[in-house]
């Protein structure tokens, strides 16, 4: 629970506060005082009469009623302090800085549970234990530095790690990123990251609250809660970026299916973030860079103009933007020619716009004005402007400041001279701006943003899924494991997924008769071994009864062979769809290019079932091999709509069949008209 006493306490006591500002107990008192806390601050220290100018209490029993307690004492003493303060001093919020709890030992976990029980009994909020504290505009209850600039429209930052939170703040402060609050949840015994998001969501005021949330997550304890409140906030106008640390390897079933080899709990995180609309980041620099981008006017298109006085960084930014799916279009025509006349000879305007190292502040402003008012094919402006150490940049940065205030197109300032022009950059940041000192890091963050879809709709639509028949089929399965080819067909048919004509039999006569009926050529596949290709269990393009008979005889000799499957042979682009059930997350659905290269290329996109058409289409478009699906070198593209429909139908079916732990459909064969499942396997595990 998050209450007023935690956020806006009228009185605070630091248990273990001291005069030594090099220790947590002294540092938290220093930060509270320097942060201008307006309420009553009390200190408990049995050995000191005065702590940093404040009269100290030697015993917590001497305290008057106090709303928030910050504990900076050994773990073994914390439960008794919490009990005393909650019961006798009406304390209804606790921040426990101390470590030595469940993160270390079983005994510590028992102490932690004792504290939680007391807080629950008295309706008290609990941050921690094992955290750096809580930083708000009301009170600076942290023992660390840096303390960033705080304002209502700054970033709300929530971290599962205290030390990492400090490093992320270091990265942010140097960029000029400002904050509204910093939450270090530590062990998150009562208040986790999901709970903070819930509070932000349920109490959100679009007129006054910060619209940027940054998260550092070490554990997702409640994926549904995270998904619900994060997507709600984004729909209300917020933007969220997150790092999820720790991606586990594939599970024990990795060798048994393509999906098992590719999917992991990290795939589940990726799918969850995509469904919620959270921009996923992979480093501190990327997270704080995305946070800075969020503070600028929203990017409405993909076309960038680059204004620079150094050719190299302009070229590197052009390459990085293009690689990430953004454009640096050529600028030409009469207005481009006109701009060139206003710059020094030798300047280039084709994009990047290079005003040369000798270019003036006035020329910088002129170039920006042309991008803003005259070049209609430009959506955003990146300005690279540093110094070789010969001049001061105050005038140029003042021009940039004015343009960022007045221009409607977003301007991304890349000011690389943090050492040589440190005072000028600092002055620029003081005016409320951010700085992207590295152009490639900026381009990477922008690319990740444009790849992140909007939050998905939450309604589950059945799309004609035959749920009663599905449940009947699964109920009739007696043993766990991979089911028979006929059961696979029965399950997929419940979702209306098109299937290639086939027959499974141990009779050579039945199979040759089927081949005659459906027409040659056909494909023969061994039934039994999981990986048919590895044991020579696939024969393609069989065009006669005699060849089919010979292949039947050969394949039945393969170890573990139980039957032979014969299918009508069809042609098309090979696709893949798979899904794996992850505890707490549900089914992670994967799609990509199919065939034998699924595990080699691993060009797959993930989504969390059930999926909407918009999600499925976004997954398809995000594939690196998407151009192959569109058609290359005279070949026509596949029917993307039908591919997306099959993804949606399968994901919806899985929503009602948690017994399906893994499913591969590989390949599906697709052309401009149809998408048909050719081979599939399904792993069932029932309780």
């Amino acid at each position: 629970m998050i209450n007023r006493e935690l956020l806006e306490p009228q009185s605070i006591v630091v248990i273990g506060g001291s005069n030594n500002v090099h220790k947590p107990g002294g540092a938290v008192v220093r930060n509270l005082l320097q942060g201008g806390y307006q309420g009553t601050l009390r200190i408990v220290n049995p050995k000191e009469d005065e702590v940093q100018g404040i009269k100290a209490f030697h015993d917590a029993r001497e305290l008057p009623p106090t709303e928030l307690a910050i504990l900076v004492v050994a773990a073994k003493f914390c439960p008794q302090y919490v009990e005393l303060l909650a019961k006798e001093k009406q304390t209804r919020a606790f921040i426990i800085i101390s470590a030595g709890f469940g993160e270390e030992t079983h005994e510590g976990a028992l102490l932690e549970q004792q504290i939680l029980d007391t807080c629950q009994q008295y309706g008290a909020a609990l941050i921690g234990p094992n955290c750096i504290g809580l930083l708000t505009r009301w009170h600076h209850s942290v023992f660390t530095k840096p303390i960033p600039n705080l304002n209502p429209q700054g970033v709300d930052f929530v971290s599962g790690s205290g030390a990492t939170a400090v490093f992320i703040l270091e990265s942010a402060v140097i960029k000029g990123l400002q904050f509204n609050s910093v939450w270090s949840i530590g062990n998150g015994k009562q208040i986790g990251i999901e709970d903070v998001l819930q509070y932000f969501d349920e109490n959100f005021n679009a007129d006054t609250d910060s619209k940027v949330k940054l998260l550092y997550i070490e554990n997702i304890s409640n994926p549904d809660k995270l998904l619900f409140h994060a997507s709600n906030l984004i729909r209300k106008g917020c933007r969220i970026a997150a790092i999820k640390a720790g991606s586990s390897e594939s599970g024990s079933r990795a060798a048994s299916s393509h999906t098992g080899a590719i999917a992991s709990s990290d795939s589940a995180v990726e799918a969850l973030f995509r469904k919620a609309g959270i921009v996923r980041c992979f480093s501190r620099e990327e997270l704080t860079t995305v946070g800075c981008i969020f503070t600028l006017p929203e990017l409405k298109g993909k076309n960038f103009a680059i204004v620079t006085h150094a050719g190299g960084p302009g070229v590197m930014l052009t390459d990085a933007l293009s690689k990430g799916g953004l454009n640096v279009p050529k600028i030409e025509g009469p207005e481009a020619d006109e701009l060139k006349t206003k710059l020094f000879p030798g300047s280039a305007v084709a994009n990047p716009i290079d005003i040369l190292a000798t270019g003036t502040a006035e020329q910088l402003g002129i170039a920006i004005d042309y991008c803003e008012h005259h070049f209609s094919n430009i959506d955003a402006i990146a300005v690279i402007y540093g110094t070789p150490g010969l001049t001061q940049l105050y005038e140029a940065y003042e021009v940039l400041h004015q343009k960022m205030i007045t221009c409607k197109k977003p301007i991304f300032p890349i000011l690389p001279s943090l050492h040589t022009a440190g005072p000028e950059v600092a002055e620029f940041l003081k005016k409320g701006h951010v700085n992207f000192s590295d152009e490639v890091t900026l381009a990477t963050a922008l690319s990740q943003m444009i790849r992140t879809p909007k939050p998905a709709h939450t309604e589950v639509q059945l799309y004609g899924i035959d749920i009663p028949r599905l449940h009947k089929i699964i109920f009739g399965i007696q043993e766990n494991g991979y089911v028979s080819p006929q059961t696979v067909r029965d399950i997929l048919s419940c979702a209306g997924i098109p299937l290639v004509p086939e027959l499974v039999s141990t009779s050579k006569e039945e199979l040759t008769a089927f081949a005659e009926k459906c027409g040659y050529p056909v494909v023969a596949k061994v039934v039994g071994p999981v990986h048919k290709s590895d044991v020579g269990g696939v024969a393609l393009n069989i065009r006669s009864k005699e060849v089919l008979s010979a292949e039947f005889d050969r394949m039945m000799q393969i170890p573990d062979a139980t039957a032979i499957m014969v299918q009508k042979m069809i042609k098309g682009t090979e696709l893949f769809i798979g899904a794996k059930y992850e505890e707490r997350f549900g089914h992670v659905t994967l799609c990509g290019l199919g065939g034998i290269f699924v595990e080699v290329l691993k060009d797959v996109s993930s989504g969390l079932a059930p999926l909407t058409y918009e999600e499925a289409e976004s997954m398809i478009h995000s594939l690196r091999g998407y151009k192959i699906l569109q058609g290359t070198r005279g070949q026509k593209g596949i029917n993307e709509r039908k591919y997306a429909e099959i993804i949606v139908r399968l994901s919806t079916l899985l929503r009602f069949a948690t017994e399906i732990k893994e499913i591969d459909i590989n390949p599906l064969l697709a052309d401009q008209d149809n998408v048909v499942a050719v081979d599939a396997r399904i792993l069932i595990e029932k309780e």
Side-chain angles (χ1 to χ4, degrees), residues 655-668:
R655 171 69 175 78
F656 300 95
T658 56
E659 299 88 350
I660 297 177
K661 300 307 180 186
E662 283 184 18
I663 181 170
D664 275 350
I665 307 178
N666 183 38
L668 297 99

Side-chain angles (χ1 to χ4, degrees), residues 369-446:
D369 283 340
Y370 268 76
C371 294
E372 169 75 4
H373 300 293
H374 300 290
F375 302 146
S376 59
N377 63 334
I378 295 301
D379 303 305
I381 308 160
V383 176
I384 305 173
Y385 208 96
T387 176
L390 301 175
T391 59
Q392 290 186 326
L393 299 178
Y394 290 108
E395 184 181 358
Y397 288 174
E398 176 61 23
V399 168
L400 183 57
H401 162 65
Q402 294 297 333
K403 297 304 178 187
M404 291 187 69
I405 293 174
T406 57
C407 287
K408 294 181 180 179
K409 295 176 182 178
I411 297 176
F412 297 85
I414 302 166
L415 315 180
S417 303
L418 300 180
H419 176 72
T420 309
E424 294 98 312
V425 174
E427 183 70 23
F428 178 78
L429 297 182
K430 281 182 182 179
K431 296 173 181 176
H433 298 301
V434 294
N435 173 36
F436 307 95
S437 60
D438 182 78
E439 59 279 349
V440 175
T441 303
L442 169 62
T444 302
L446 284 165

Side-chain angles (χ1 to χ4, degrees), residues 229-445:
H229 293 295
S231 55
N232 267 3
L233 282 165
I234 293 170
R235 291 189 190 96
K236 292 174 180 177
C238 290
R239 294 196 273 182
I240 303 178
I243 295 173
K244 169 59 178 75
S247 56
S248 69
E249 296 181 357
S250 301
S252 60
R253 295 188 297 273
S256 68
S257 73
H258 296 297
T259 301
I262 298 169
S264 66
S265 62
D266 193 58
S267 302
V269 172
E270 183 75 23
L272 175 66
F273 282 13
R274 284 181 62 86
K275 200 173 192 70
I278 297 171
V279 177
R280 189 174 189 188
C281 301
F282 296 90
S283 70
R284 302 190 305 271
E285 283 298 303
E286 190 176 353
L287 181 69
T288 55
T289 299
V290 171
C292 289
I293 295 170
F294 282 163
T295 67
L296 299 176
E298 187 174 356
L299 184 62
K300 300 292 187 181
K302 295 184 177 183
N303 291 341
F304 272 74
I306 300 172
V307 180
T308 179
H309 66 171
V315 173
M316 287 190 287
L317 180 56
T318 300
D319 291 343
L321 289 172
S322 300
K323 182 179 178 181
L326 294 153
N327 308 315
V328 183
K330 186 175 183 180
I331 296 174
E332 55 187 348
E335 290 177 321
D337 296 337
E338 182 180 82
L339 170 61
K340 194 167 185 177
T341 65
K342 300 185 178 183
L343 305 176
F344 288 140
S347 298
V349 298
N351 205 11
I353 300 171
D354 188 349
I355 65 173
L356 304 179
T358 53
T360 65
E362 181 184 11
Q363 289 171 331
L364 172 65
I366 291 170
I368 294 173
D369 283 340
Y370 268 76
C371 294
E372 169 75 4
H373 300 293
H374 300 290
F375 302 146
S376 59
N377 63 334
I378 295 301
D379 303 305
I381 308 160
V383 176
I384 305 173
Y385 208 96
T387 176
L390 301 175
T391 59
Q392 290 186 326
L393 299 178
Y394 290 108
E395 184 181 358
Y397 288 174
E398 176 61 23
V399 168
L400 183 57
H401 162 65
Q402 294 297 333
K403 297 304 178 187
M404 291 187 69
I405 293 174
T406 57
C407 287
K408 294 181 180 179
K409 295 176 182 178
I411 297 176
F412 297 85
I414 302 166
L415 315 180
S417 303
L418 300 180
H419 176 72
T420 309
E424 294 98 312
V425 174
E427 183 70 23
F428 178 78
L429 297 182
K430 281 182 182 179
K431 296 173 181 176
H433 298 301
V434 294
N435 173 36
F436 307 95
S437 60
D438 182 78
E439 59 279 349
V440 175
T441 303
L442 169 62
T444 302

Side-chain angles (χ1 to χ4, degrees), residues 37-58:
Y37 173 61
Q38 297 296 305
T40 302
L41 181 58
R42 302 179 176 118
I43 312 293
V44 172
N45 186 314
K47 298 179 181 179
E48 300 281 355
D49 294 326
E50 186 176 283
V51 171
Q52 297 184 46
I54 300 173
K55 182 180 180 301
F57 294 85
H58 290 170

